[in-house]
Amino acid sequence: MPRKSSGNYAILGLLAIEPMSGYDIRKFVQEVLSSFWNESYGRIYPLLAELSRQGLARKRLERRTGKPDRHVYQISQRGRAELRAWLRLPPQPIQIRNEASLKLFFGANLSIQENLRAIERVRDRLLREKAALAEFEEAQARERDESDQGEYFALVLRLGQMLNQVRLRWCDEASERLERRSRRRTRKEA
Amino acid sequence: MPRKSSGNYAILGLLAIEPMSGYDIRKFVQEVLSSFWNESYGRIYPLLAELSRQGLARKRLERRTGKPDRHVYQISQRGRAELRAWLRLPPQPIQIRNEASLKLFFGANLSIQENLRAIERVRDRLLREKAALAEFEEAQARERDESDQGEYFALVLRLGQMLNQVRLRWCDEASERLERRSRRRTRKEA
DNA sequence: AACACCATGTAAGCTGTTACATGATTAA
DNA sequence: TTAATCATGTAACAGCTTACATGGTGTT
């Protein structure tokens, strides 16, 4: 049996937390998982249909007044079993494409000043992320969710915060190093 | 004009460091860039051909005795200009798929012990990465490369080390939290 | 002779994004 | 009525991996 792609299981895992629509899933992924996962609409809807066809999730129409109707998917017992089996497999290696790092690695092709500005922009992004993470933490603290799901959510949130913090520290360090180098250069030219 | 994919420029950037063959590029990416970038053979060779067709790199056959001949690509002046233009564009957002984090996020579907073992495996991977990074640092220190390229290499190497370190710290913290939770649970059952 | 590494390339097929099409509801 | 958000889906295309095919060279 060819191993199914992780996208299937990512969605199955979310349905195991609570029943969701495709729209919910997209939102959840963007808001909560974005620091280590992504799924687009173009994948979510076909994958939901497939999960439904395979009997791993059940689709039901939720009629609502005041808001558009929606298709809510609920994980089945077989779905949970498949999810657990997948969770036990060794994880695939991390896949990453960090264009900002790549560009800095090629920084020798630009001026030091341009690279300093690039690092500044990275820092801005990190500060915005930091604020978003802090909001999550507050929301979490307010909810006082003692469930297992709450615990694992807290763990990955903490990882996100630690990574964010260390990246910010790196920005400071890198800026300082480049500024020193820039000053050394000006002195030599004089 | 449709914006070309970053793969083109990643390869162009490597050729700007020194002339390389497809094989060299693959090796370099795996050894040096793997913490933030990846390119497979299936992309490298077609992209090299395209760069050559567009006049951004020149291909030449290097005949060697004692080793197989190889096709070495050298960046052209136009290639350097295109590279600089790309470097100045704002970077694409980070793309990441971290299956290990995703699985831990879904940890509530497994036992605490299973999740602890998963974290142990992550830690092992990180320790191996740490050793590889330390080797790089030593090689760097030995070379005493004072060029700009050496400086930018050192910067991204440093980022890699800081991220590795903080991830290891997170493993310790997460293990401790889960162990506490596990003990609390056993007490309650008693 | 076998294995490891060097070296180049292609084809099939999956993965994943983007743009498009469609329409409901709510608030300004 | 305009914009924002909620909501579902598809089609075209680009990105990317994997397996395969092929062959040279060096070491054990």
Side-chain angles (χ1 to χ4, degrees), chain A residues 71-95:
Chain A
H71 296 160
V72 176
Y73 290 80
Q74 180 155 16
I75 192 168
S76 69
Q77 282 310 310
R78 274 194 47 226
R80 284 189 193 274
E82 284 259 316
L83 174 63
R84 275 194 301 273
W86 174 75
L87 287 173
R88 287 183 177 118
L89 296 176
Q92 297 285 111
I94 293 184
Q95 265 185 49

Short mmCIF file of all heavy atoms in Angstrom, two decimals, chain A residues 71-95:
data_model
loop_
_atom_site.label_atom_id
_atom_site.label_comp_id
_atom_site.label_asym_id
_atom_site.label_seq_id
_atom_site.Cartn_x
_atom_site.Cartn_y
_atom_site.Cartn_z
N HIS A 71 -20.78 22.52 5.37
CA HIS A 71 -20.55 21.08 5.43
C HIS A 71 -19.56 20.79 6.55
O HIS A 71 -18.40 21.16 6.46
CB HIS A 71 -20.02 20.56 4.11
CG HIS A 71 -20.97 20.73 2.98
ND1 HIS A 71 -20.60 20.72 1.67
CD2 HIS A 71 -22.32 20.92 2.99
CE1 HIS A 71 -21.66 20.90 0.90
NE2 HIS A 71 -22.71 21.03 1.68
N VAL A 72 -20.04 20.11 7.58
CA VAL A 72 -19.18 19.81 8.72
C VAL A 72 -18.76 18.34 8.64
O VAL A 72 -19.57 17.47 8.39
CB VAL A 72 -19.91 20.09 10.04
CG1 VAL A 72 -19.05 19.69 11.23
CG2 VAL A 72 -20.26 21.57 10.13
N TYR A 73 -17.46 18.11 8.82
CA TYR A 73 -16.91 16.75 8.75
C TYR A 73 -16.55 16.29 10.15
O TYR A 73 -15.95 17.02 10.93
CB TYR A 73 -15.68 16.70 7.87
CG TYR A 73 -15.99 16.91 6.41
CD1 TYR A 73 -16.20 18.18 5.89
CD2 TYR A 73 -16.09 15.82 5.55
CE1 TYR A 73 -16.50 18.37 4.55
CE2 TYR A 73 -16.39 16.00 4.20
CZ TYR A 73 -16.60 17.27 3.72
OH TYR A 73 -16.90 17.45 2.39
N GLN A 74 -16.93 15.04 10.43
CA GLN A 74 -16.66 14.45 11.75
C GLN A 74 -15.84 13.18 11.55
O GLN A 74 -16.12 12.37 10.67
CB GLN A 74 -18.00 14.10 12.41
CG GLN A 74 -17.85 13.50 13.78
CD GLN A 74 -19.09 13.73 14.62
OE1 GLN A 74 -20.16 14.08 14.09
NE2 GLN A 74 -18.97 13.56 15.93
N ILE A 75 -14.80 13.00 12.36
CA ILE A 75 -13.93 11.83 12.21
C ILE A 75 -14.70 10.58 12.66
O ILE A 75 -15.52 10.63 13.58
CB ILE A 75 -12.61 12.01 13.00
CG1 ILE A 75 -11.59 10.94 12.59
CG2 ILE A 75 -12.88 11.97 14.50
CD1 ILE A 75 -10.19 11.23 13.12
N SER A 76 -14.44 9.45 11.99
CA SER A 76 -15.09 8.19 12.36
C SER A 76 -14.14 7.36 13.22
O SER A 76 -12.97 7.71 13.39
CB SER A 76 -15.42 7.40 11.10
OG SER A 76 -14.23 6.96 10.48
N GLN A 77 -14.64 6.26 13.76
CA GLN A 77 -13.78 5.38 14.56
C GLN A 77 -12.61 4.88 13.72
O GLN A 77 -11.46 4.87 14.18
CB GLN A 77 -14.58 4.20 15.12
CG GLN A 77 -15.42 4.56 16.34
CD GLN A 77 -14.63 5.31 17.41
OE1 GLN A 77 -13.56 4.89 17.82
NE2 GLN A 77 -15.14 6.45 17.87
N ARG A 78 -12.90 4.47 12.49
CA ARG A 78 -11.82 4.02 11.61
C ARG A 78 -10.83 5.14 11.35
O ARG A 78 -9.63 4.92 11.25
CB ARG A 78 -12.38 3.50 10.29
CG ARG A 78 -12.80 2.02 10.37
CD ARG A 78 -13.03 1.44 8.98
NE ARG A 78 -11.96 1.76 8.05
CZ ARG A 78 -12.13 2.21 6.80
NH1 ARG A 78 -13.35 2.38 6.33
NH2 ARG A 78 -11.11 2.49 6.03
N GLY A 79 -11.37 6.34 11.23
CA GLY A 79 -10.50 7.51 11.03
C GLY A 79 -9.54 7.68 12.20
O GLY A 79 -8.35 7.91 12.00
N ARG A 80 -10.08 7.53 13.41
CA ARG A 80 -9.21 7.66 14.59
C ARG A 80 -8.13 6.60 14.61
O ARG A 80 -6.98 6.86 14.96
CB ARG A 80 -10.04 7.57 15.88
CG ARG A 80 -10.81 8.83 16.17
CD ARG A 80 -11.45 8.81 17.56
NE ARG A 80 -12.42 9.88 17.67
CZ ARG A 80 -12.12 11.14 18.02
NH1 ARG A 80 -10.88 11.45 18.30
NH2 ARG A 80 -13.06 12.06 18.07
N ALA A 81 -8.51 5.38 14.23
CA ALA A 81 -7.53 4.29 14.23
C ALA A 81 -6.42 4.57 13.22
O ALA A 81 -5.23 4.42 13.52
CB ALA A 81 -8.23 2.97 13.90
N GLU A 82 -6.81 5.03 12.02
CA GLU A 82 -5.82 5.35 10.99
C GLU A 82 -4.90 6.48 11.46
O GLU A 82 -3.70 6.46 11.22
CB GLU A 82 -6.52 5.81 9.71
CG GLU A 82 -7.14 4.69 8.91
CD GLU A 82 -6.27 4.29 7.71
OE1 GLU A 82 -5.77 5.20 7.01
OE2 GLU A 82 -6.10 3.09 7.49
N LEU A 83 -5.52 7.46 12.10
CA LEU A 83 -4.74 8.60 12.60
C LEU A 83 -3.69 8.13 13.60
O LEU A 83 -2.52 8.49 13.51
CB LEU A 83 -5.68 9.62 13.26
CG LEU A 83 -5.01 10.80 13.96
CD1 LEU A 83 -4.21 11.65 12.97
CD2 LEU A 83 -6.04 11.66 14.69
N ARG A 84 -4.12 7.29 14.54
CA ARG A 84 -3.16 6.80 15.55
C ARG A 84 -2.02 6.02 14.90
O ARG A 84 -0.86 6.18 15.26
CB ARG A 84 -3.88 5.91 16.59
CG ARG A 84 -4.52 6.70 17.71
CD ARG A 84 -4.92 5.78 18.86
NE ARG A 84 -5.86 4.75 18.44
CZ ARG A 84 -7.18 4.90 18.40
NH1 ARG A 84 -7.73 6.05 18.80
NH2 ARG A 84 -7.95 3.93 18.00
N ALA A 85 -2.36 5.19 13.90
CA ALA A 85 -1.32 4.41 13.22
C ALA A 85 -0.31 5.35 12.56
O ALA A 85 0.91 5.13 12.65
CB ALA A 85 -1.96 3.51 12.17
N TRP A 86 -0.81 6.41 11.96
CA TRP A 86 0.10 7.37 11.31
C TRP A 86 0.95 8.11 12.34
O TRP A 86 2.16 8.31 12.15
CB TRP A 86 -0.71 8.37 10.49
CG TRP A 86 0.11 9.46 9.89
CD1 TRP A 86 0.96 9.38 8.83
CD2 TRP A 86 0.16 10.84 10.34
NE1 TRP A 86 1.54 10.60 8.59
CE2 TRP A 86 1.07 11.51 9.49
CE3 TRP A 86 -0.48 11.55 11.36
CZ2 TRP A 86 1.35 12.86 9.64
CZ3 TRP A 86 -0.19 12.90 11.50
CH2 TRP A 86 0.72 13.55 10.65
N LEU A 87 0.33 8.48 13.44
CA LEU A 87 1.06 9.22 14.47
C LEU A 87 2.24 8.40 15.00
O LEU A 87 3.25 8.96 15.42
CB LEU A 87 0.13 9.59 15.64
CG LEU A 87 -0.88 10.71 15.36
CD1 LEU A 87 -1.85 10.85 16.52
CD2 LEU A 87 -0.17 12.04 15.11
N ARG A 88 2.09 7.08 14.96
CA ARG A 88 3.16 6.22 15.50
C ARG A 88 4.31 6.02 14.52
O ARG A 88 5.37 5.55 14.93
CB ARG A 88 2.57 4.86 15.88
CG ARG A 88 1.73 4.95 17.15
CD ARG A 88 1.18 3.61 17.60
NE ARG A 88 0.44 3.77 18.84
CZ ARG A 88 -0.86 3.51 18.98
NH1 ARG A 88 -1.55 3.04 17.95
NH2 ARG A 88 -1.45 3.70 20.13
N LEU A 89 4.11 6.33 13.24
CA LEU A 89 5.20 6.20 12.27
C LEU A 89 6.23 7.29 12.52
O LEU A 89 5.89 8.38 12.96
CB LEU A 89 4.66 6.35 10.84
CG LEU A 89 3.68 5.28 10.36
CD1 LEU A 89 3.18 5.64 8.96
CD2 LEU A 89 4.36 3.91 10.33
N PRO A 90 7.51 7.00 12.23
CA PRO A 90 8.53 8.05 12.38
C PRO A 90 8.21 9.21 11.46
O PRO A 90 7.82 9.02 10.31
CB PRO A 90 9.83 7.35 11.97
CG PRO A 90 9.43 6.08 11.30
CD PRO A 90 8.06 5.72 11.77
N PRO A 91 8.33 10.44 11.97
CA PRO A 91 7.97 11.61 11.15
C PRO A 91 8.90 11.78 9.97
O PRO A 91 10.07 11.43 10.02
CB PRO A 91 8.13 12.77 12.13
CG PRO A 91 9.06 12.29 13.18
CD PRO A 91 8.84 10.81 13.28
N GLN A 92 8.36 12.34 8.88
CA GLN A 92 9.17 12.73 7.73
C GLN A 92 10.13 13.83 8.18
O GLN A 92 9.79 14.62 9.06
CB GLN A 92 8.28 13.29 6.63
CG GLN A 92 7.29 12.32 6.06
CD GLN A 92 7.93 11.31 5.15
OE1 GLN A 92 7.99 10.13 5.49
NE2 GLN A 92 8.45 11.75 4.03
N PRO A 93 11.29 13.92 7.55
CA PRO A 93 12.21 15.02 7.89
C PRO A 93 11.57 16.37 7.60
O PRO A 93 10.71 16.48 6.72
CB PRO A 93 13.42 14.77 6.99
CG PRO A 93 12.98 13.78 5.97
CD PRO A 93 11.85 13.01 6.55
N ILE A 94 11.99 17.37 8.34
CA ILE A 94 11.46 18.73 8.14
C ILE A 94 11.71 19.19 6.72
O ILE A 94 12.77 18.98 6.17
CB ILE A 94 12.16 19.72 9.09
CG1 ILE A 94 11.78 19.43 10.54
CG2 ILE A 94 11.82 21.15 8.72
CD1 ILE A 94 12.36 20.43 11.51
N GLN A 95 10.68 19.78 6.12
CA GLN A 95 10.82 20.42 4.80
C GLN A 95 10.74 21.91 5.00
O GLN A 95 9.76 22.41 5.53
CB GLN A 95 9.65 20.01 3.92
CG GLN A 95 9.91 18.84 3.03
CD GLN A 95 8.70 18.66 2.14
OE1 GLN A 95 8.21 19.60 1.51
NE2 GLN A 95 8.17 17.46 2.12
#
